[in-house]
Amino acid sequence: MASGRLLSALDGHTRGVNHAAFSPDGTKVVTASGDHTARLWHVFSTQELIDYANKIVPRCLTPKQRKQFFLPESPSHALIAEGEQLAREGQIEEAVAKFKQAQQIEPCHKFHPEDKAR
């Protein structure tokens, strides 16, 4: 993270971690410590991290960012593009409806549909 702020810590070992390995499916990591213990940790998926980020960062990922993180395209972006085209054509009510649909799919879109359509 660019801010350097700690998001999460794997607390539990009382001495340093000597080894860590991911499960074959990438959903867990096991750590071995100098305290003679091994611990199994849940690893967030990319989408889980994005969902968490959406709670603390008030914006959606752009189509370019979604591609960068190997995420599928969001249908909300297509709805927004359709709404923008409808607004340019003067079809304000239809544009507002598209923008509202996009927000239902991804609530992280923080615009006001009526304002965006004008």
Side-chain angles (χ1 to χ4, degrees):
M1 183 168 214
S3 71
R5 189 180 70 144
L6 178 66
L7 294 178
S8 181
L10 302 177
D11 293 324
H13 289 297
T14 58
R15 296 192 62 193
V17 172
N18 301 325
H19 185 75
F22 283 91
S23 63
D25 65 1
T27 63
K28 295 177 183 61
V29 65
V30 64
T31 56
S33 169
D35 64 6
H36 305 288
T37 64
R39 294 191 180 265
L40 187 63
W41 312 91
H42 173 73
V43 176
F44 289 105
S45 69
T46 303
Q47 188 61 54
E48 287 173 315
L49 288 173
I50 288 169
D51 292 342
Y52 172 74
N54 280 337
K55 291 178 187 175
I56 62 170
V57 177
R59 71 172 188 85
C60 293
L61 293 176
T62 66
K64 183 178 178 180
Q65 289 168 325
R66 292 187 69 83
K67 188 175 183 177
Q68 178 183 359
F69 294 111
F70 307 104
L71 296 170
E73 291 182 20
S74 171
S76 69
H77 292 289
L79 288 167
I80 291 170
E82 290 173 31
E84 289 169 343
Q85 181 61 38
L86 289 166
R88 283 191 293 275
E89 295 169 358
Q91 300 178 47
I92 303 303
E93 288 182 25
E94 293 86 350
V96 169
K98 293 289 183 183
F99 295 145
K100 286 182 178 180
Q101 285 179 314
Q103 286 180 319
Q104 286 175 345
I105 293 171
E106 286 191 287
C108 55
H109 292 293
K110 303 298 182 189
F111 54 77
H112 295 283
E114 294 77 10
D115 294 339
K116 190 162 180 67
R118 301 203 189 299

